[in-house]
Every structure is written in C-alpha cells, then in structure tokens.
Amino acid sequence: MTTSATAPVPALELPATVEGFRAQFLRNLSFSGGVTLDEASVNDRYLALARTVRDFLMVHWLHDQHRQAEEQPKTVCYLSAEYLLGDQLDNDLLAGGLTEAAEGAMAACGIDLDELRRHEIEPGLGNGGLGRLAACFIDSLATLGVPSIGYGIRYEYGIFRQTFEDGQQVEQPDAWLTLGAPWEQPRPEAAQTVSFGGRTETDAAGASRWIPGWNVSAVPYDYLVPGFGNDRVNTLRLWRAKATDAFDLRIFNSGDYEQAVRAQTFAENISKVLYPEDSTPQGKELRLQQQYFFVAASIRDFLARLPEGFDLARLPERVIFQLNDTHPVIAVPELMRVLVDERGLEWDAAWAVAQQCFAYTCHTLLPEALEVWPVELLGRLLPRHLEIVYRINEEFLDAVRARFGDDEMRIRDMSIIAEFPVRAVRMAYLATVAGAKVNGVAELHSQLLRDKVLPAFAEFFPQKFTNVTNGVTPRRFLRLANPGLSGLITEAIGDGWITDLERLRALEPLAEDAGFRASFAAVKAANKARLNDVLQARDGMRVGDGHLIDVMVKRLHEYKRQLLKVLHVVSEYEGVVSGRVPLDALQPRTVLFGAKAAPGYAMAKRIIHLINAVGSVVNADPRLEGRLQVLFPPNYNVTLAESVIPAADLSEQISLAGKEASGTGNMKFALNGALTIGTDDGANVEIRELVGDENFFLFGMTEPEAEQLGRDGYHPAEFYQADAGLRRAIDLIASGAFSGGDRSVFEPIVSNLLYDDRFMVLADYASYMAAQERVDAAYADPDGWTRSAILNVARCGFFSSDRSIRDYIERIWHTPPTA
Ligand SMILES: *Cc1c(COP(=O)(O)O)cnc(C)c1O
C-alpha cells in the first residue's frame, strides 16, 4: 500500500442529482449488465441500481483509503466470524444521501423502486445477536469517522432459510449469491496465502519453525460501509477460500486429475457455509479452519498496509484487533508467530506488542458456549500455534505462581490448557491473558463475567475488566425500519437524533401532549397495517384487528424460554375453552413468534413444533372467536425484524435471569415504542432503569434468586403441584390436545419442564402470568399505554450503537475519531 499512499486521489465526480443518478444507472445497465432498459429484467434493474449506489459511495471510499494510507491513523480491526448485515440498498441510499436521487431516477426510467427493494436478498452471514451487533458496530464506526476495517468470512451459504412442514422446521440452503452480488468488490490481487497442517522443526539456534502441510488462498471481497451523511466510507473485508495454484498443480502433475479437483473442493469448503449454531459451538475441525483462515488472512492484510520499514514494536499505535467473542482468538498465537518467526522479534518484545493489540469481548454466560479446542486437533491443524499457546500458558502460570505460590488448585483453574475431559485450549482464557481489555456486553453481564465466569482472572487482572453495553444502529432500526415514527420525531425535535440518539429525551414532555399521543398511536396503527401487508404477501397471515401485538422474535434457545410464552398462550386458551374465563374478559392479542433453531438442537426444534401446533389449534378454535391468535412466520431475519418491530406493542424478553448476556432485540423494540415484559437480565436491567418501573413489566427471579434456587435444588414438580393454572396448561399439552391425541410428540418437552429444566421455566410461571395480567390492564387504557410507549422511545437513546462505539473508544481502543 506504500505506492497508493503517494498516488493522487483521482478527481472523480458523480453528481448526486436525479439526472446524474439516472445516467450512471443506465451506464451500469448497459455496460455492466449488457441489457437495454426495455429488455431489463427485475434482476438486471436491481443489479444496475446496486452498482450505481456503490459507484457513488466508491468516490468517497477512494478518498478515505488514500487518506488513511497517508496518515496511518490507529485503526480498529474488528474481527468477527459473523456479520448479519440485512438489506444494503436502503441503508446505503440513506447513508449516502442518495434516496431522493434514486427515487427520481427510477421514476424517470419508469421503474418501480419498491419492486427492486423487494427483490433484494439479505446477506445472512450470521446467526443472531452477535452477528447483528457486528453489523451495527461497523455502521457506527463509519458514522463516527473512526478508521476501521471489519474482517470476516464470505460464506457461500449463510444462515439457512427456514420453512415449516407439518409445523416442523426444515432447513433450506441460503443461496444468496446466485443472482449476482452487486455490493461486493472482489480483490483477487490482494489475496493472501493461509497455511495449515504439517509440523514444526527446531533449527540450530533452538528456534522453532513451522513447515506447513497445505495452503489455501484467501481472496478478499470488499463491502463498502458508508457513514451516515458524513461522506466517510469504511471497508468490510470478507475472505473467500480458493485453492492455491501451486497446490493444484502439484497434484495435477502427479497425473491424478480427479484428486486435483477434489483438493480444490476441499480448500473451498473452508468458506462454504456458516455454522448455524448459536451459543452452542460443536467443536468441528472445519470451524477451526474457518477461524484461523480469516484471522490469518486479516492480520497479513493489515500488516501489508504499514509503510515499508515500519517498527513493529510500535504496532499498538496503529492497530487494535477487537475479538468478537472467542471465534477469532486464534489470532493471538498467529500474531505472535508472525512477529517472532517471520519478522524476527524477540519473544518478550512480541508479547509486549501482542498484549496491547488485542481486546476481547465475551458474549455469553453459558459455560457450554465457551469455545475449547482439543490439543490433538489444534496440534494437527496448527502445530506451531499450539507450541506458542503452551509458551504463553507457561509464562502466565509462572506469573500466577509468583503472585500466589504453588496453589495447584488455582493453577489448574487458570491454566489456558484444560486437562478434562480431554486436553484442550480454553480460548476465552487465552483471550483474557492476551487482551489489553476484556469486556462484557451489559452491566449485569460484565459483573457476572468478573464474579462467575472468569473470577480468578478478574482477581489477577482487575484493571483489564470493563463493560460496554451493546447498542443498535438508529439508522437501520429506527430511521429506515420505522419511517412513520421517524417522521413524527423529526417533526417534533428535528433530525439530529439520527446521529445523536440521546436527543430523543426532548420527546419526554410530548408524552403529556394529547395531540402527539394521537399521532404516535396513528403511527403504530399504520405500522400494524404495513406488517399485515408484509405477512399477507409472504405467508398469507394477518394480525387481528385491534389486537395487542405481543412479539417474541430471537433465536430459539431453551435459555431464552420460548416455552414460558407458550405456557401463557396455552393457559389463556385453556381458561376460555374450559369456560372458567368469559371470552370477553380476554384482551384480544396476536402472539407473534419468529425463531430459527440450530439444525442439530433437537429440543429447540421440538419447541418450534409445539409453537406451531398450539397455533394451529388455537387459531382454528371457533370458541376463541379470533380473540387469541398465534402467528409464527418462518425464516426470521433482519428484513422481517424491520417489519415486525415497529408494529409491536409488547416485547417479550423473558430469559432466566443470569443467562442472556445483553440482548439487542430488547433495545430495538423499546426504541420503536413497544413496552417490555421482561426479567431482570442482560440489558433489560438498564432499559428498566432508564424507562422507569412504571413503563416496564418486570417479573421473575433475580439472578441471585435463581442462583440460590439452583443451589437449594430446583424441583419443578413442586411448582406444578402448587399452581392449578400451570397444572392445567401442562396437562393439556401432555394430553395430546395439540398433537392430534398423540401424547408422545411433546412428551420430551413436558418431562423436561417437570424434571430437569436448567432454565427454571415453572419457577417463573406464576410471576409471568401476573405480569401479563398487568399488561392486559394497562392496554385497556390506550392513552396510558401510548404515554408509556412514548417514554420508552424518549428514554432509550442510550442504546444507540454510536454510544457503544464511543465507550469502546474511551475504555478500550483510545482511537480519536478523525474529523
Ligand atoms: C436483533 C436481532 C437478533 C438478536 O435478538 P435478541 O432478542 O437480542 O436475541 C437476532 N436476529 C435478528 C435478525 C436480529 O435483528
């Protein structure tokens, strides 16, 4: 990159006018797409539109690249195995200030822009909250003008597309690239070689060296990440695995053509598919290959941007690698290997550098979610890295002994190498030892991280531990997803909130303004109508007229407790059909679920089946007269979230306290004026503190109470015996009422709830039902509900990802935003 540092920025100009946009669009349609306007298909028009938007952004990207090569600022390299981006078109139009020009140009060409919007397929390169967080963060980094690069994997198949057959989840491959990928720019000339396998050798001087067994080529594909309204454009660089020519040739020359082609497939498998496990990694060899593949390529890529002769001892002045969970932690021994083996630094000097170049974000409290790699596997795939991990561990444990003496319990506790059930590397420990900082993602989570997950490390390195509460980008999740509310807010307080979300505070007094409340309620009603249009077109579904829209959308996981929501629905249903509850006492509600289950997670898939089964019975029962409905549109993704969240009245955030690290869905809902029914968990705690108890439906055990119950022994059957309503709901499921009389279908769910539920659903049932009664009562006062909804919006500006990024800058990165 030293050449580009001195090359002049080309004097590119693209006028962001209707005429300028139209001209560039027509050029793309013909010269890049090879069609005329008359004969262009929807896909042709979409591709040309996307390329046109990219062209406009590219002008700014070139300027920023040039400036960064020149100025060599400290750069945030965000390392994440997942980016759940969502649609690009409207986001990039908004950021680039191009929406009006594009609308005008499409109209002038007689093209329906909405049809092209619907044609877009979102890149689903992530599972859920963790991947979506990465996408929000790169948006905020660009909007704040922070020099940064997002690094990740260009999966050929992202998260699967979910369909239902007989109420059961079926996974379809997500072939998001088949109709062309207009947002990406392949950069084959910037490919990096990544090695695997082989062995190590010790040279005469006693230094170890890696003799790899095989290589793959990592080819970068760049996505432009525009800041909002600031003409800044950062890079998201995603790596694709390709067979190296040398590798093919060697086998090819041996005469085995078939074997050569198979080797190519083998190499390209590395970036073939996103692992669909969320919070429960499976420890698969290919997953470790993916992790090393992208971090090794990224580190080389970044080092290649440094000027010739750069003193690597000063690397911490130029870069911070933020590790998004443990997935990229193999970057730690990789950087050490590059510095020591390839660049000739002494070990101690290299370690001093590495310890300032990494910071680690932990995303979980579930022990099974902490990645651990068997030494056998790591030694086979990355033998030199294993040696480096051993040395890091030895020196670290020496330091522990120097402080605490030969306390073998403590040493075993803190060792990066676990001995049982197999010798394995604890990636979270490695990240904690190497990282300059370790952060949790909400106040409660960071506290539990110190007290429960990594207590010995918090004692040893108290200064390392910090908190950065997650956030969501207001551009996508308010401005774009909710144009009605955005317009209303802007009318009231101006549009400064889009980049300074705390300004929403100025809405507080308007909660007392009857006119504003009426407008706010009208926006909510319009959003429900819009959701109906989307659901109708996509799934033939409708929400009930005048219903409270009660939404639980997120990955399906036992800890999130979709089953608690199901028990509420079944109880309401049972109350009416048994005649104990008069129908007109039932607050009309539509309960909307959205959730994908990991394909190998049998219990989660069974819960999906149960939700659908309960839905078919409840929705079809004439005794309910449609007053209670359960909808479960398949394939919850960012696009569906953008329609559902603005229409929601009630946000379900009902995990067992102490299990949800933060949640970000909870923030999106509150910012869109839904009230939360939630436990004291994750960022719910902070939401409730900000919006006030009177605007939040709190229920359930606190984390210490849940912990205590676990210690005393949780006996779910006691809760079942003690609560007649709970008994009737569970008995109804067990009776086969939702499975055509077949009692075996949901028996595993029932016995799990009754005998060994780690997430204590029954313990919180009574409290949850009482909270739902408070919801019904509150909803019966529409004016009071709207007042609370407005206060939720006004008081949740804190949850902007811009604020999260400012916290990272201040507490972890120390990168000044550049003007
Ligand atoms: C925000 C988001 C999530 C995370 O939701 P949680 O409720 O925080 O688990 C998952 N999936 C999608 C598509 C999202 O937009």
Side-chain angles (χ1 to χ4, degrees):
M1 294 307 264
T2 42
T3 46
S4 67
T6 52
V9 180
L12 292 177
E13 276 304 330
L14 277 179
T17 58
V18 170
E19 192 37 50
F21 198 98
R22 192 183 76 99
Q24 188 69 8
F25 171 77
L26 291 174
R27 272 196 287 275
N28 274 313
L29 198 60
S30 296
F31 299 154
S32 178
V35 288
T36 63
L37 184 54
D38 291 343
E39 66 200 21
S41 67
V42 176
N43 196 53
D44 292 329
R45 284 177 259 145
Y46 168 73
L47 293 180
L49 173 60
R51 288 196 187 103
T52 304
V53 177
R54 203 186 64 186
D55 292 344
F56 278 88
L57 299 179
M58 191 65 83
V59 176
H60 303 300
W61 184 83
L62 286 165
H63 277 276
D64 282 352
Q65 290 304 296
H66 180 261
R67 188 165 60 185
Q68 288 175 27
E70 197 94 295
E71 295 174 2
Q72 295 281 311
K74 184 165 180 180
T75 300
V76 176
C77 290
Y78 199 77
L79 298 181
S80 178
E82 302 188 12
Y83 291 88
L84 190 52
L85 294 172
D87 281 350
Q88 298 298 288
L89 176 58
D90 277 325
N91 182 70
D92 288 9
L93 285 174
L94 175 71
L98 296 164
T99 310
E100 278 180 29
E103 282 171 353
M106 291 306 101
C109 294
I111 290 173
D112 177 1
L113 181 54
D114 283 331
E115 185 184 23
L116 303 192
R117 287 185 169 111
R118 287 193 299 272
H119 186 72
E120 187 166 7
I121 300 176
E122 66 169 84
L125 308 182
N127 274 287
L130 176 147
R132 185 53 236 176
L133 185 77
C136 285
F137 279 4
I138 58 175
D139 178 86
S140 286
L141 282 161
T143 296
L144 291 172
V146 180
S148 71
I149 307 168
Y151 283 113
I153 301 173
R154 180 185 176 273
Y155 300 104
E156 190 175 333
Y157 294 91
I159 187 67
F160 62 84
R161 191 166 57 80
Q162 178 192 54
T163 60
F164 297 137
E165 281 177 23
D166 298 327
Q168 302 193 60
Q169 172 174 298
V170 177
E171 301 92 21
Q172 317 278 357
D174 159 54
W176 67 290
L177 291 167
T178 43
L179 288 177
W183 301 102
E184 66 184 22
Q185 174 97 44
R187 303 270 183 191
E189 79 288 0
Q192 300 290 345
T193 299
V194 178
S195 304
F196 292 92
R199 61 201 160 79
T200 59
E201 266 181 12
T202 310
D203 67 15
S208 185
R209 221 164 52 91
W210 185 17
I211 319 289
W214 50 282
N215 300 320
V216 299
S217 178
V219 181
Y221 285 68
D222 287 349
Y223 287 72
L224 303 185
V225 185
F228 173 82
N230 64 354
D231 289 348
R232 301 292 294 263
V233 181
N234 280 340
T235 311
L236 172 62
R237 176 158 276 197
L238 303 180
W239 299 98
R240 175 188 187 185
K242 294 264 291 171
T244 57
D245 296 344
F247 190 66
D248 283 344
L249 212 60
R250 200 155 28 87
I251 304 168
F252 186 72
N253 287 340
S254 76
D256 191 344
Y257 174 72
E258 194 195 321
Q259 173 65 15
V261 173
R262 210 166 319 129
Q264 185 160 339
T265 310
F266 177 81
E268 294 180 3
N269 261 342
I270 291 179
S271 58
K272 187 66 73 178
V273 59
L274 167 75
Y275 276 100
E277 277 97 27
D278 191 59
S279 304
T280 41
Q282 294 295 306
K284 295 267 178 58
E285 181 163 350
L286 182 58
R287 190 179 162 101
L288 180 57
Q289 289 177 8
Q290 290 184 334
Q291 296 180 352
Y292 179 65
F293 165 76
F294 97 88
V295 301
S298 304
I299 287 175
R300 280 181 184 282
D301 183 84
F302 185 78
L303 294 180
R305 292 164 193 257
L306 300 173
E308 202 125 339
F310 181 83
D311 175 7
L312 287 168
R314 301 180 60 182
L315 191 59
E317 295 169 21
R318 281 287 283 114
V319 69
I320 180 83
F321 291 105
Q322 186 67 37
L323 305 168
N324 194 25
D325 214 284
T326 52
H327 316 145
V329 172
I330 195 68
V332 170
E334 171 64 4
L335 181 64
M336 286 299 289
R337 188 191 67 79
V338 169
L339 294 179
V340 174
D341 297 2
E342 294 186 0
R343 305 290 184 108
L345 266 71
E346 293 298 326
W347 174 276
D348 288 345
W351 184 235
V353 168
Q355 284 183 293
Q356 298 171 76
C357 284
F358 290 107
Y360 162 54
T361 305
C362 177
H363 281 273
T364 190
L365 287 159
L366 304 178
E368 68 269 30
L370 293 171
E371 280 187 307
V372 157
W373 290 108
V375 160
E376 179 278 320
L377 170 58
L378 196 62
R380 183 154 45 78
L381 207 60
L382 299 166
R384 177 64 183 134
H385 297 76
L386 181 60
E387 290 178 356
I388 291 170
V389 171
Y390 279 142
R391 178 150 178 198
I392 292 171
N393 193 39
E394 254 167 52
E395 295 185 358
F396 168 61
L397 294 180
D398 284 348
V400 174
R401 283 195 188 92
R403 173 103 67 94
F404 292 105
D406 268 336
D407 176 350
E408 275 313 308
M409 275 286 273
R410 184 186 293 266
I411 296 294
R412 218 175 319 140
D413 238 40
M414 297 184 77
S415 176
I416 294 170
I417 310 293
E419 298 296 333
F420 297 102
V422 292
R423 295 203 87 201
V425 180
R426 296 158 156 162
M427 301 307 272
Y429 290 14
L430 177 57
T432 303
V433 171
K437 293 282 176 181
V438 176
N439 77 285
V441 289
E443 290 290 350
L444 174 64
H445 175 235
S446 294
Q447 179 211 314
L448 294 172
L449 198 57
R450 286 186 295 256
D451 297 349
K452 303 259 166 85
V453 184
L454 299 168
F457 292 88
E459 186 187 358
F460 195 76
F461 300 119
Q463 75 294 344
K464 279 196 187 189
F465 285 76
T466 186
N467 172 251
V468 177
T469 298
N470 283 168
V472 299
T473 171
R475 270 73 65 186
R476 180 176 294 269
F477 288 109
L478 193 48
R479 174 63 187 78
L480 287 173
N482 200 339
L485 183 55
S486 295
L488 186 63
I489 295 170
T490 297
E491 217 174 276
I493 64 170
D495 66 3
W497 60 271
I498 300 173
T499 50
D500 181 6
L501 204 59
E502 290 283 7
R503 292 200 197 178
L504 294 177
R505 280 276 172 193
L507 295 171
E508 262 192 48
L510 294 169
E512 298 310 321
D513 176 328
F516 188 80
R517 282 201 303 273
S519 305
F520 189 95
V523 165
K524 186 61 83 179
N527 288 341
K528 291 180 184 182
R530 183 170 64 111
L531 174 62
N532 259 337
D533 292 344
V534 169
L535 290 180
Q536 186 72 250
R538 163 187 206 283
D539 311 299
M541 294 175 182
R542 273 192 63 79
V543 304
D545 284 337
H547 279 209
L548 183 164
I549 310 299
D550 174 353
V551 183
M552 183 161 192
V553 288
K554 50 186 70 246
R555 281 301 287 254
L556 201 308
H557 203 293
E558 287 166 279
Y559 85 80
K560 292 178 181 281
R561 299 201 298 190
Q562 277 91 357
L563 279 176
L564 186 54
K565 179 76 248 164
V566 172
L567 286 177
H568 170 237
V569 171
V570 171
S571 295
E572 297 279 271
Y573 172 70
E574 195 277 338
V576 172
V577 297
S578 68
R580 265 175 304 97
V581 178
L583 187 59
D584 59 11
L586 200 64
Q587 163 63 49
R589 274 201 201 216
T590 294
V591 176
L592 192 149
F593 287 94
K596 291 178 184 176
Y601 186 175
M603 181 59 79
K605 292 178 93 169
R606 217 173 268 126
I607 294 169
I608 284 180
H609 189 191
L610 176 63
I611 297 168
N612 279 320
V614 168
S616 354
V617 169
V618 168
N619 298 349
D621 194 320
R623 291 171 290 185
L624 274 288
E625 292 177 15
R627 287 175 78 97
L628 179 59
Q629 280 196 45
V630 179
L631 301 183
F632 193 166
N635 202 41
Y636 177 58
N637 59 10
V638 176
T639 306
L640 183 59
E642 290 169 12
S643 296
V644 166
I645 292 169
D649 295 306
L650 188 64
S651 161
E652 300 272 352
Q653 309 299 338
I654 61 180
S655 52
L656 174 63
K659 301 297 176 190
E660 185 77 89
S662 163
T664 49
N666 47 5
M667 302 167 184
K668 300 169 197 166
F669 280 100
L671 278 169
N672 281 277
L675 274 58
T676 304
I677 183 165
T679 47
D680 229 353
D681 201 15
N684 295 354
V685 177
E686 288 156 78
I687 292 175
R688 184 171 60 88
E689 272 165 9
L690 281 163
V691 305
D693 282 330
E694 64 289 4
N695 302 304
F696 187 107
F697 302 98
L698 176 68
F699 76 95
M701 295 176 286
T702 61
E703 188 278 331
E705 287 166 353
E707 176 75 23
Q708 186 63 43
L709 180 58
R711 259 199 309 274
D712 296 347
Y714 170 52
H715 304 294
E718 289 169 10
F719 291 94
Y720 170 82
Q721 291 302 341
D723 188 321
L726 174 58
R727 217 158 50 229
R728 286 191 291 262
I730 291 204
D731 289 352
L732 194 60
I733 296 170
S735 74
F738 303 108
S739 39
D742 183 345
R743 304 168 63 102
S744 69
V745 179
F746 299 123
E747 190 280 330
I749 292 180
V750 170
S751 42
N752 179 263
L753 284 175
L754 284 176
Y755 303 111
D756 54 18
D757 171 23
R758 288 171 62 200
F759 304 106
M760 303 181 179
V761 169
L762 302 198
D764 276 344
Y765 170 86
S767 165
Y768 182 56
M769 292 297 289
Q772 289 287 6
E773 274 184 34
R774 300 201 301 277
V775 169
D776 285 341
Y779 200 73
D781 166 17
D783 223 32
W785 184 280
T786 299
R787 184 180 289 112
S788 280
I790 294 168
L791 290 175
N792 266 262
V793 177
R795 294 173 178 174
C796 281
F798 176 76
F799 298 106
S800 168
S801 48
D802 299 343
R803 188 272 313 148
S804 304
I805 292 299
R806 284 197 199 91
D807 286 351
Y808 275 98
I809 291 171
E810 190 183 301
R811 299 172 194 174
I812 300 177
W813 300 334
H814 312 299
T815 51
T818 54

